């Protein structure tokens, strides 16, 4: 038991027998002096290596007195050597040990190294001084409490953060000085650290200080060391960053745009789910690198876009934007608008770039359709105005050419010249008719039409017209809806399409004419300008000819545009078809592939009246009504047309009153109550057109019959692209027989 205690004593143990030979040398003795037990045991006083030579006699005298029984205990201080030659000042506590008979057995000494202790104490004092200096000047606030929670020490930083003086806190318990802290996470954390002896850290918002604190608690010999620092600025920045990142995350989920985040240091690239929505790629299908972006930019756009992005970064710009084509998963390309924001550090170095891609493909297509529609509308207004003036001229030319041919029957040479003028005027009339069809200014007379029957009636005529080298195939749908359309204009449009198809197949081929019931939904309407969702009867003409290039396809409905050789087409056929279908409240589309053929589809409005109605109402044949006695008020602003019409009406036996404009005509109506028919131009200067004149005249003379004439129709007498109910119109140019028939019809039935 003694050996166990000796081994664990903090002092060195040395024992020797009555002949001054060392018999015990403890591990602590080895630690102090450096010699091992085996090197010391058995050594006599003369061989004691660890005793300073100047102190050997003093030690020997002391030991001798104790062996002689003169002293039982003794405390002496002497110098000793270590194995390395270092001199130590040691304190020796010596005791005499006796055996059972009372005889001296040995001397037992405890040795304390005073030199090392003094050095340790000096080091401790220096360390404490340094520690005090460090704690006073350290960046973190620090305080020390004992196990009962009493403040033992606070550095100046702790005073500033806690806003309390050190003298007011030392010796006080922490919960007395800061009772509100006991209600926070600080209290249970201190209890856990004191109980477990394990350090713990926490971050809290300490409301009394209105500050975020980062706290670390460490067990110490005295109790608990607490380090803390104010991290409000960092915490608020983290919270702001967290909110920004949360907003960014929510935004990236809420938008259909493809949001991206490019790390300029690692070149990693992140996409949101919108990338799959726009382009069809799942995020796990593409590598998260900048190459996944650049490799899918259209080859013709890639160099420009990549150079522009890097230029924005290198020039220190904060923003970049660009428009380019980007490949979808199916291989097609979307036109996108891409915008990026460059994030830089305090030195201006670019760290990240965050942005988003918007798919402009559908919007650009709609804008192009809108521009095309506006362009066509502008052209239509121009051509309508030209046709109006031209038709006035043609009325005079055609009418007088007709009269000359009748007058020159006995003069063949001059009659032939008059015939040539007449034929030329007819061609001019056909040209203006097509222009008006394109401009949507022709007077349509829509009726209920069964398309399959109309095709059956045109079959033989089409085969004769197109020739034997064209094979015609009719694909007529069963239970086809009725259409609401002008049959004569539809026949003309279909003939135009078939002739175009024939010309696209000079070596012959198959021409397919197809009918079908079609519903154009909201999605289709949103992608096609001017289309109203609803039910339509479709008429499609398909050839297997040369096809049309994508560039030409954008212009095929424009007047005077043709893909045929010079002299082989007027460029008005498709323009007329386009105008007729649009004026009929329908829709027309064209599909073509070079070398494969072309399909033109006409979507005609479905008749929504009595489904039991069958057949097509045919126009009355052109007959000349026998004139009856009548007074006609002729209103025409064009002097030549006015003179021509007046002469024709007088020749027919009518009494004619003439006015140049609306106000003048209205004065005549006020003065005369015997006017049977108002024959007026629709478009006239002076602020009063034909419709306004007719309304004012009928207010004065209820029941007054009215016949309109015009080089082109306008909204004044039109309703939904057709003549308003009860309106009679004689289109210009007109021949004498047409004039006579319409006048007679207006007088008798108008």
């Amino acid at each position: 038991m003694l050996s166990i205690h000796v081994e664990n004593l903090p002092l060195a143990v040395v024992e020797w027998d009555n002949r001054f030979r060392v018999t015990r040398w403890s591990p602590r003795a080895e630690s102090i002096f450096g010699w091992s037990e085996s090197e010391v045991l058995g050594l006599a006083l003369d061989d004691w290596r660890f005793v300073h030579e100047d102190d050997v006699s003093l030690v020997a005298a002391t030991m001798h007195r104790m062996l002689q029984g003169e002293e039982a205990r003794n405390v002496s201080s002497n110098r000793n050597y270590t194995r390395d030659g270092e001199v130590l000042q040691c304190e020796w506590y010596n005791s005499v040990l006796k055996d059972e008979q009372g005889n001296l057995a040995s001397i037992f000494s405890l040795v304390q190294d005073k030199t090392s202790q003094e050095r340790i104490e000096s080091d401790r004092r220096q360390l404490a001084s340094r520690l005090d200096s460090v704690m006073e000047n350290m960046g973190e606030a620090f305080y020390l409490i004992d196990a009962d929670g009493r403040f033992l020490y606070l550095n100046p930083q702790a005073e500033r953060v806690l806003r309390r003086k050190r003298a007011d806190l030392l010796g006080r318990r922490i919960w007395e000085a800061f009772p509100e802290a006991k209600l926070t996470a600080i209290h249970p954390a201190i209890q856990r650290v004191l109980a477990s002896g394990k350090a713990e850290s926490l971050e809290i918002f300490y409301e009394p200080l209105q500050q975020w604190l980062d706290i670390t608690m460490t067990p110490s010999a005295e109790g608990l060391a607490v380090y803390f620092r104010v991290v409000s600025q960092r915490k608020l920045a983290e919270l702001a960053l967290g909110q920004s990142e949360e907003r960014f995350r929510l935004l990236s989920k809420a938008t259909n745009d493809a949001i991206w985040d490019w790390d300029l240091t690692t070149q990693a690239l992140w996409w949101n789910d919108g990338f799959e929505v726009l382009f069809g790629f799942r995020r796990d299908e593409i590598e998260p690198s900048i190459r996944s972006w650049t490799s899918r930019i259209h080859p013709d756009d890639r160099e420009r876009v990549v150079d522009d992005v890097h230029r924005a970064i290198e020039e220190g710009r904060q923003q970049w934007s660009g428009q380019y084509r980007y490949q979808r998963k199916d291989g097609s390309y979307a036109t996108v608008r891409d915008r990026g924001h460059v994030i830089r550090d305090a030195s201006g170095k670019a760290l990240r770039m965050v942005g988003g891609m918007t798919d402009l493909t559908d919007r650009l297509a709609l804008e192009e359709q809108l521009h095309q529609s506006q362009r066509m509308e502008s052209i239509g207004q121009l051509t309508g105005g030209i046709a109006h003036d031209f038709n006035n001229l043609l009325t005079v030319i055609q009418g007088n050419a007709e009269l000359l041919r009748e007058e020159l029957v006995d003069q063949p040479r001059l009659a032939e010249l008059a015939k040539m003028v007449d034929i030329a005027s007819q061609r001019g009339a056909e040209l203006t008719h097509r222009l008006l069809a394109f401009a949507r200014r022709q007077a349509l007379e829509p009726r209920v039409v069964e398309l399959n029957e109309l095709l059956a009636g045109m079959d033989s005529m089409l085969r004769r017209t197109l020739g034997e080298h064209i094979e015609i195939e009719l694909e007529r749908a069963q239970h086809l809806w009725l259409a609401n359309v002008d049959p004569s204009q539809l026949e003309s449009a279909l003939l135009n399409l078939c002739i175009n198809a024939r010309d696209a197949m000079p070596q012959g081929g198959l021409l397919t004419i197809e009918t079908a019931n079609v519903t154009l939904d909201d999605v289709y309407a949103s992608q096609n300008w001017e289309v109203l969702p609803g039910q339509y009867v479709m008429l499609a003409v398909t050839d297997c000819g040369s096809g049309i290039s994508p560039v030409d396809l954008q212009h095929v409905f424009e007047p005077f545009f043709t893909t045929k050789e010079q002299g082989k087409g007027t460029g008005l056929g498709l323009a007329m078809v386009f105008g007729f279908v649009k004026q009929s409240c329908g829709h027309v589309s064209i599909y073509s592939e070079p070398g494969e053929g072309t399909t033109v589809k006409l979507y005609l409005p479905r008749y929504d009246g009595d489904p039991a109605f069958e057949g097509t109402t045919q126009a009355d044949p052109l007959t000349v009504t026998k004139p009856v006695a009548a007074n006609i008020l002729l209103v025409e602003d064009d002097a030549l047309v006015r003179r021509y019409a007046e002469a024709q009406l007088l020749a027919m036996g009518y009494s004619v009153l003439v006015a140049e404009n609306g106000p003048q005509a209205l004065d005549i109506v006020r003065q005369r109550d015997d006017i049977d028919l108002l024959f007026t131009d629709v478009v006239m200067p002076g602020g009063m057109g034909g419709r306004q004149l007719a309304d004012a005249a009928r207010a004065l003379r209820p029941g007054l019959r009215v016949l309109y004439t015009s080089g082109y129709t306008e909204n004044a007498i039109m309703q939904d692209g057709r003549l308003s109910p009860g309106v009679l119109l004689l289109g210009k140019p007109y021949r004498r027989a047409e004039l006579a028939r319409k006048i007679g019809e207006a007088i008798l039935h108008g």
Side-chain angles (χ1 to χ4, degrees), residues 245-415:
E245 289 178 345
E246 178 67 9
R247 291 191 191 102
F248 180 77
R249 184 184 66 81
L250 294 174
L251 176 63
S252 68
K253 287 185 174 295
T255 180
N256 287 330
D257 289 354
I259 305 299
W260 49 267
D261 187 347
W262 176 20
D263 188 322
L264 298 175
T265 303
T266 65
Q267 296 300 305
L269 186 66
W270 173 88
W271 298 96
N272 74 331
D273 295 336
F275 189 77
E276 180 178 357
V277 175
L278 291 190
F279 307 115
F281 297 101
R282 296 194 312 272
R283 278 188 290 175
D284 58 4
E285 292 180 323
I286 55 174
E287 55 183 309
S289 70
I290 193 61
R291 184 182 175 280
S292 67
W293 171 62
T294 57
S295 63
R296 292 178 174 86
I297 298 175
H298 193 284
D300 294 343
D301 299 339
R302 187 176 302 142
E303 183 177 357
R304 168 182 61 82
V305 174
V306 173
D307 287 349
D308 194 29
V309 170
H310 286 290
R311 192 179 305 112
I313 295 172
E314 293 163 3
E315 292 177 354
R317 284 186 273 156
Q318 294 295 110
Q319 305 290 336
W320 167 83
S321 66
Q323 184 171 313
Y324 55 90
R325 290 163 290 177
Y326 197 78
Q327 189 176 41
R328 300 187 180 99
K329 186 175 182 178
D330 62 8
S332 64
Y333 282 92
T335 300
V336 300
R337 165 65 66 181
D338 204 350
R339 297 178 179 86
H341 176 76
V342 184
I343 300 173
R344 302 177 184 273
D345 61 15
S347 67
K349 179 183 177 182
L351 302 177
R352 291 168 59 201
M353 196 169 180
V354 180
M357 298 166 68
T358 303
D359 189 350
L360 302 179
T361 309
D362 291 341
R363 192 176 82 188
L364 290 176
L366 285 175
E367 287 178 357
E368 177 57 30
Q369 289 182 28
L370 175 58
H371 293 157
Q372 176 77 358
S373 175
Q374 291 173 336
R375 187 164 58 248
M376 300 286 269
E377 181 67 23
S378 298
I379 295 173
Q381 291 176 356
L382 175 63
T383 55
I386 293 173
H388 171 264
D389 294 339
F390 197 33
N391 275 335
N392 278 337
L393 296 174
L394 286 173
T395 300
V396 178
I397 295 171
Q398 191 177 76
N400 284 288
E402 183 180 19
L403 291 175
L404 283 174
R405 290 182 65 182
E406 294 175 358
E407 293 291 333
L408 297 172
V409 173
D410 297 333
Q411 301 182 53
R413 188 177 67 83
L414 295 178

Side-chain angles (χ1 to χ4, degrees), residues 45-56:
L45 179 62
D46 296 341
D47 297 324
W48 284 1
R49 304 172 182 176
F50 51 87
V51 179
H52 195 279
E53 61 270 14
D54 294 339
D55 292 344
V56 170

